[in-house]
Amino acid sequence: MSLKVAVIGGGSTYTPELISGIARDPERLEVRELVLQDIDPERCEVVGGLARRMLDGQGFAGRLEVTSDLDRALDRPDGVVLQIRVGGQAARLGDETIPLACGCVGQETTGAGGFAKAMRTVPVVLSIAERARELAAEDAWIVDFTNPVGIVTRALLDAGHRAVGLCNVAIGFQRAIARITGVEPARVLVDQVGLNHLTWVRSVWVDGRDVLGELIEAHGDELAAHAGLRREVVDELGVIPSYYLRYFYMHDRVVEEQREEEPRAEVVARIERDLLRMYRDPLLAEKPALLEQRGGAFYSEAATALIGSLVAGTGDVQVVDVRNGDALAGLQPDDVVELPARIERRGPVPLPQPPLAPELLGLVQHVGAYERLTAAAAVTRDVRTARLALLAHPLIGQWEIAGELLERLVLEEAPAEVTR
């Protein structure tokens, strides 16, 4: 079945990563028409030019359109990929540095930075999704790669959209473990469970056998380094935490490191400038190696696999962000969790999970409460709900700090939009 796919935020420097997946796997995802839409016409033209050269080099038989017109992009697509960054890297810099000045981790998706990003992003995403509801194919799926994925996906689902969240952490673990064990990635199934950017790998299946214990014993140092943690943390927990758990398990050390380092937003802004300069080269017809430093590794493969499976209803298992239902005990049915799900035509069906250990469940419940409050605050713009969201987050949790962060991250930026 040939599809039309619209990429909203198509001027992102991530886009060549997505293009490489579409061009590389036409049998999994047969695209007849690909539309790259972005509000920045210059970036759209530059990224679109490289996309066209990449697709031509791979013998792409479909049609590529590059546009700044949202309605044109949303004209009857079968799938809509969201990869936008509201406010650009300048907003990200504030998300990282303002919390740090308050003694909190400065990170764009975790903690106060993720809260600020959600408050900016959710209204824009919902506006796009509402337009897609009016213009896209009736059974079109929205695949959200826009951070913070868990909160954005929750807002989309709360508004009744056919949406699923996608993160590249699980596929990154799968590829790392395949490399460590020397097997093909297709033979590795990673059982990653939790919330977006708050997950643990509790089992690793290779050819149908759980090898997690053997992996930790033989390769614990490398796995811990992949997560940015000490080896003893992995040994004690008996699971592999995602990289984002270091912000919780090593909070004070991370704050010290961040105060001494250049903000990640400035690093990424420099990488993006270099990438866009490279993308302008008419002789470049493949994604450059520098793109790996931008982040989002294997995003293309995860995205194409998910869209293809949703449309075809293949029933294969992928790690996605979906409503919990009764899959994970201790959480509410409407919480958005990240875990293995069977991908069917009617949507992802989360697979039942063994209960989380207390030391994992407590943290998930804590952050889950924060996400529920933040999703509500982003829609209602209610200042009390927003303050409670910050107060609920385990990386904040203090009244005076929550109030200061709310003032500096939200109220000073858009005071008229938030009701006191």
Side-chain angles (χ1 to χ4, degrees), residues 68-108:
S68 59
D69 187 334
L70 180 63
D71 283 4
R72 189 174 182 86
L74 294 178
D75 182 18
R76 307 296 296 172
D78 303 286
V80 178
V81 177
L82 297 179
Q83 52 175 45
I84 66 173
R85 178 180 292 279
V86 180
Q89 295 300 331
R92 175 178 182 168
L93 183 60
D95 295 346
E96 293 177 349
T97 56
I98 291 173
L100 195 59
C102 295
C104 299
V105 162
Q107 212 281 328
E108 66 156 343

Side-chain angles (χ1 to χ4, degrees), residues 33-91:
E33 185 174 357
L34 177 65
V35 185
L36 305 181
Q37 184 275 342
D38 202 282
I39 60 173
D40 186 330
E42 182 181 359
R43 284 181 66 123
C44 212
E45 181 180 353
V46 171
V47 175
L50 173 58
R52 194 176 304 278
R53 295 191 296 274
M54 291 176 66
L55 292 171
D56 287 346
Q58 294 290 328
F60 178 63
R63 176 174 176 265
L64 172 66
E65 181 175 0
V66 178
T67 181
S68 59
D69 187 334
L70 180 63
D71 283 4
R72 189 174 182 86
L74 294 178
D75 182 18
R76 307 296 296 172
D78 303 286
V80 178
V81 177
L82 297 179
Q83 52 175 45
I84 66 173
R85 178 180 292 279
V86 180
Q89 295 300 331

Side-chain angles (χ1 to χ4, degrees), residues 382-404:
D382 177 66
V383 71
R384 177 179 178 273
T385 306
R387 185 182 290 108
L388 291 176
L390 288 167
L391 190 64
H393 201 292
L395 295 183
I396 304 165
Q398 298 182 59
W399 181 260
E400 291 183 358
I401 294 176
E404 182 179 357

Side-chain angles (χ1 to χ4, degrees), residues 92 96 104-111 197-198 227-229 241-255 257-258 261 264 363 393-396:
R92 175 178 182 168
E96 293 177 349
C104 299
V105 162
Q107 212 281 328
E108 66 156 343
T109 65
T110 299
H197 288 186
L198 192 80
L229 295 167
S242 79
Y243 177 84
Y244 293 89
L245 265 300
R246 75 186 303 267
Y247 299 117
F248 296 83
Y249 295 154
M250 300 175 61
H251 176 274
D252 292 353
R253 172 171 292 189
V254 170
V255 169
E257 293 172 354
Q258 289 182 333
E261 297 171 351
R264 174 65 179 168
L363 187 52
H393 201 292
L395 295 183
I396 304 165

Side-chain angles (χ1 to χ4, degrees), residues 30 32 48 58 127 143 177 185 198 201 211 228 245 289 313 326 339 366:
E30 184 183 353
R32 73 172 187 279
Q58 294 290 328
S127 177
V143 174
I177 291 168
L198 192 80
V201 174
V211 299
L245 265 300
D326 58 1
L339 43 67
H366 207 159

Side-chain angles (χ1 to χ4, degrees), residues 107 109-110 145 147 149 165-177 190-193 195-201 226-227 240-245 295-299 302 319-321 338:
Q107 212 281 328
T109 65
T110 299
F145 193 64
N147 279 319
V149 168
L166 179 65
C167 182
N168 67 322
V169 169
I171 193 172
F173 266 127
Q174 182 209 35
R175 297 310 166 87
I177 291 168
V190 172
D191 190 2
Q192 176 177 295
V193 178
L195 307 176
N196 178 244
H197 288 186
L198 192 80
T199 52
W200 298 264
V201 174
H226 186 79
I240 308 173
S242 79
Y243 177 84
Y244 293 89
L245 265 300
F298 310 114
Y299 158 49
V319 176
V320 292
D321 291 83
E338 186 168 295

